[in-house]
Amino acid sequence: MLFVCYPKCSTCKKAQKWLDEKGKDYEARDIRTDHPTEEELREWQRKSGLPLKRFFNTSGNLYKEMKLKDRLPEMSEAEQFRLLSTDGMLVKRPILTDGETVLVGFREKEWEEKL
């Protein structure tokens, strides 16, 4: 499994601890230094079935600085994917995928059910 995270994020730390406690094998990837590509984001969004907005880190400083709350509704889907792929700090985290299932954010009950 691929675990895309920001090592300093408390939610990512909780998710990683959960994975370790459950004995799950995963490869950790720092979202800041190795951010998702546009192609990865498109695939993950499609496989997750989630709306694209759920992939934005709406509580992040960069999201707020860029005033994306007001800008996103006017952007095309292609523009949103392009923007997300420019900086990992715009992307909601953690993301966990086994290639088929894609989980965005850490909700223990959801992870328990889907893994």
Side-chain angles (χ1 to χ4, degrees):
M1 285 190 287
L2 177 63
F3 179 62
V4 184
C5 63
Y6 178 49
K8 295 180 181 179
C9 167
S10 61
T11 302
C12 292
K13 288 177 184 177
K14 285 181 202 171
Q16 191 163 18
K17 182 179 180 204
W18 184 90
L19 288 168
D20 291 341
E21 287 174 353
K22 301 292 181 186
K24 303 288 185 184
D25 288 331
Y26 61 90
E27 174 192 339
R29 179 169 141 191
D30 187 331
I31 202 165
R32 191 184 67 237
T33 57
D34 188 7
H35 51 83
T37 66
E38 187 174 339
E39 294 75 26
E40 285 175 318
L41 291 162
R42 285 182 180 279
E43 180 181 344
W44 294 342
Q45 191 264 333
R46 182 179 55 77
K47 288 182 175 179
S48 72
L50 295 170
L52 181 53
K53 184 172 175 18
R54 286 279 307 275
F55 279 79
F56 280 89
N57 179 13
T58 57
S59 59
N61 291 332
L62 188 54
Y63 182 90
K64 293 172 185 172
E65 288 169 14
M66 295 178 74
K67 297 180 177 28
L68 291 178
K69 180 181 175 193
D70 300 323
R71 293 178 49 206
L72 282 183
E74 298 168 6
M75 295 173 71
S76 70
E77 188 175 90
E79 290 170 322
Q80 290 181 42
F81 275 117
R82 208 165 313 129
L83 178 62
L84 269 176
S85 70
T86 63
D87 194 315
M89 298 310 278
L90 288 173
V91 181
K92 176 90 172 163
R93 57 195 183 256
I95 296 174
L96 183 69
T97 182
D98 62 5
E100 292 304 317
T101 300
V102 178
L103 302 173
V104 180
F106 179 61
R107 286 177 296 289
E108 188 172 341
K109 185 178 182 208
E110 178 187 23
W111 284 35
E112 193 74 55
E113 291 169 358
K114 295 196 175 176
L115 296 179

